[in-house]
Structure formats: structure tokens, C-alpha cells
Amino acid sequence: MKSVDSTGDFLANCKNVKLSYYASDSENLTYCQALGNSSRDCMDYTNWGANAELVYETSETGLGASNIKFSSGCGISSNNLEYCYGCVGSSNLFGCVLLKKKEYCIFNKQYTKEEYEQMVPKVKAHMDEMPYTDKLGRVYKYGEYFPPEFSPFAANETALMDFTDMDKEQALKFGLVWREPKESEYKATLEVKDIPDHIDEVKDDVLKEIISCEMCKKVFRIIPQELAFCKKHKIPFPRKCHNCRFKDLTHFRNLPKWYKRSCDCKGVKSKQGIYKNNVLHPNHGVDDCQNTFISTYSPERPEIIYCGSCYVAEIA
Ligand SMILES: [Zn+2]
Ligand SMILES: [Zn+2]
Ligand SMILES: [Zn+2]
């Protein structure tokens, strides 16, 4: 929406944003996701933004973040951080964790500006001389993000599952951790089939029940506010757990997977012959449109996908 020279999905008011997903009011981004409010000149960066610049291979970072690399959970007026976690209001940190309003620290130890400037290049050189090698034999010199096997979370416990269709086999092949969920210690006290169809007939004592999800069979409860919301808006009582409901919700959006496509506009109608154009398109007239572009709609899908020029000609 209102984006120029950009490819990806869910982009709004963006300029020169490439292969990115959920970004707004930003420019010069590549491989970024979920950034907003004036993020610029960033790459391989997920989540947040808010006046962030020069951020690379970093997540959950923003609000005046500048020149942050290989880090997570940093920002809030921070700059020049590398390999940091949870550092805020700070500058010139290397390999630090949870520091606030600090500068010139390496591995959370305080140095003078001069010492810091001498020491950091030595640490980087050491990383190149003795790099970490992960289980799959991948080598991590300076300039790589932390190996996924260091993550305290398994891939299937993270938001990765909301944005990919990755399964266990693929995750393990990629060197990610996969953990089978523990069996719940709670036993269901209410089956979905025993819940009244109409919300008006659902009594407040349902709040005490442990309900078995009709989809994944895991158990869940609901809180008074949820029940009140359903009653107020005449929404049927949920039959699925929160995770399954969230999955249903996200099912409607395309995943951040990029397909090179050619325009489905073939002269005066769509390739499928279903849609007849309202006007003659100035870029190709009665001939097939030759434009190609990147889309999150795979070529196998049934939707008619026009290039920007043909689309604009039709809706103008
Ligand atoms: Zn479920
Ligand atoms: Zn076209
Ligand atoms: Zn066309």
C-alpha cells in the first residue's frame, strides 16, 4: 500500500523495501519483518523499528536504535552495539547482556574508550581465528548471528511457526532445536460437544472448566473477560484453544515466501479467462502483459494476480 520500489507483503508507505514482510513508513530495508515508524537502512532485522537505522541481523530491537548488529532485545536510544542482548540506553558495547545506560563495555566489563577501541578489534580477530563450529559443521566467524543451537527455545516453541510451514524434519536439517511438548498435567473436565451452541445458554460456571480443544486436544480455560466479550458480541463459545484459534486467524495471510511470477493479464482478460478487463491497458494493449514481479501468491494458486500497472489500470 502506497509503497514504491518495494517487494514483499504487508508493506505500507515504504520506499525501496525489498523482500520484507510487515513494514510501514520505512525505507531502504532488505529481508526485514515487522518494522514500523521510520526504520531505514536495515537488513535481516525482525521486530520493532521506531526510528531505527543501520540495524543488521538483529531482532526485538528499536526505538532510536542505531548501528546495532547481531543482537536481540536492545534499543531505546542505543547505538554501536554488537552481539548484545537486552541492553538499553547504551552505546559502544560488545558481547554484553542486560546493561542499562552503559558505554564501552565488553562482556559486561567496563573499559575506557581507548581500551575499548583497542580491545574490540582483537576480540573480532580472535573470533575469526577460533570460530565456533556448530553441530552441522557451520562456522561462525565475526559477522554471523548466534548459532540457532544456542537458543533456549526450540523452533516449535517460537513465532517461527507462525511465519513458516517448517516441520520437525526441516527444522532439524537446518540445525534448529525441536522439542516435543510435555503432556499437560491437567485433565479435561468439559468436552466441546457438551458446550451449548448459543452463547446465551453458556453459564458462568464454564469458567471453572478445563476444556479439551476440538482441534489439537490440548486443554484450555477461558477467563471472565473472554466470556463477557463473547456474550456481549454474541460470539459462540470457543471450541478451539488459543493457539489453534490464532493459527486459524493467521491462515488467511500469505507466508513470507517469495515467488517470481509473470502477470496473469493476457491482453483483454486474465490468463484463466475468468476475468475480463474493464479497460485496455496502456502498457500492453491487446497483447499479453510481459511484466514479471515478486509475489507471495505461488503460481499454483487459483487467484488472478496482475502486475502493478495492470492492477492500477483496472481499479483506476
Ligand atoms: Zn488447540
Ligand atoms: Zn500486467
Ligand atoms: Zn494488463
Side-chain angles (χ1 to χ4, degrees):
M1 230 170 44
K2 291 186 183 168
S3 295
V4 291
D5 293 330
S6 298
T7 53
D9 211 354
F10 304 106
L11 307 180
N13 303 317
C14 287
K15 198 174 142 192
N16 193 33
V17 169
K18 307 292 186 193
L19 302 178
S20 294
Y21 191 70
Y22 283 104
S24 59
D25 307 304
S26 297
E27 61 182 346
N28 307 330
L29 308 178
T30 301
Y31 308 132
C32 287
Q33 181 170 332
L35 297 186
N37 300 323
S38 192
S39 306
R40 59 201 170 273
D41 309 321
C42 301
M43 190 169 174
D44 290 327
Y45 170 27
T46 297
N47 267 1
W48 202 357
N51 200 25
E53 60 173 15
L54 303 170
V55 179
Y56 176 61
E57 291 207 0
T58 285
S59 64
E60 319 298 333
T61 288
L63 198 58
S66 175
N67 194 26
I68 314 278
K69 298 194 280 278
F70 328 115
S71 297
S72 186
C74 295
I76 315 179
S77 307
S78 290
N79 60 74
N80 303 331
L81 312 186
E82 291 185 277
Y83 295 102
C84 287
Y85 177 78
C87 295
V88 296
S90 297
S91 60
N92 300 294
L93 305 180
F94 192 98
C96 292
V97 176
L98 299 177
L99 293 187
K100 201 171 160 185
K101 294 187 180 171
K102 290 281 188 184
E103 55 180 358
Y104 304 116
C105 295
I106 303 170
F107 305 139
N108 279 30
K109 190 175 167 194
Q110 183 71 60
Y111 291 90
T112 64
K113 180 177 183 290
E114 292 70 31
E115 287 168 335
Y116 181 88
E117 285 168 355
Q118 277 180 3
M119 187 79 90
V120 168
K122 287 184 190 167
V123 177
K124 290 179 184 175
H126 185 71
M127 290 169 76
D128 286 344
E129 284 157 22
M130 291 185 64
Y132 179 78
T133 303
D134 76 5
K135 283 183 201 144
L136 297 182
R138 293 175 298 198
V139 174
Y140 295 78
K141 294 187 175 188
Y142 169 74
E144 295 294 341
Y145 193 73
F146 296 99
E149 65 195 33
F150 285 5
S151 171
F153 303 104
N156 57 321
E157 295 163 350
T158 71
L160 183 71
M161 296 295 104
D162 302 333
F163 297 105
T164 67
D165 44 18
M166 186 178 273
D167 60 17
K168 182 180 177 180
E169 194 187 339
Q170 290 168 317
L172 296 178
K173 209 169 152 192
F174 195 69
L176 304 179
V177 179
W178 194 276
R179 203 159 24 227
E180 297 304 333
K182 273 191 204 150
E183 188 122 334
S184 172
E185 58 195 86
Y186 297 101
K187 293 275 169 277
T189 57
L190 182 65
E191 293 297 322
V192 163
K193 66 175 173 47
D194 299 322
I195 301 171
D197 285 341
H198 201 290
I199 190 73
D200 285 350
E201 291 165 25
V202 177
K203 303 277 180 291
D204 282 359
D205 55 12
V206 77
L207 295 169
K208 292 185 227 137
E209 304 284 3
I210 300 169
I211 306 152
S212 170
C213 169
E214 70 174 6
M215 190 65 127
C216 70
K217 307 296 173 205
K218 284 184 192 154
V219 293
F220 69 100
R221 295 183 74 166
I222 73 159
I223 58 172
Q225 291 89 335
E226 284 177 281
L227 183 61
F229 183 86
C230 290
K231 282 185 180 277
K232 184 179 170 192
H233 297 284
K234 303 283 181 213
I235 298 168
F237 190 90
R239 264 67 180 162
K240 294 179 186 172
C241 72
H242 311 88
N243 286 338
C244 288
R245 274 180 273 157
F246 183 69
K247 237 189 180 105
D248 285 350
L249 188 71
T250 56
H251 175 76
F252 293 103
R253 69 180 177 197
N254 289 349
L255 295 173
K257 278 183 150 186
W258 321 118
Y259 302 93
K260 191 167 181 200
R261 291 195 57 149
S262 43
C263 182
D264 279 346
C265 178
K266 303 293 171 202
V268 294
K269 57 186 177 198
S270 70
K271 183 175 85 181
Q272 299 84 343
I274 299 166
Y275 181 76
K276 260 190 91 188
N277 294 344
N278 293 312
V279 291
L280 204 59
H281 297 171
N283 56 322
H284 59 79
V286 293
D287 299 322
D288 293 0
C289 175
Q290 302 295 328
N291 287 347
T292 57
F293 50 91
I294 302 285
S295 172
T296 51
Y297 287 85
S298 73
E300 296 78 42
R301 286 180 57 152
E303 291 90 348
I304 301 163
I305 308 295
Y306 276 14
C307 71
S309 316
C310 293
Y311 177 76
V312 168
E314 281 302 293
I315 60 159

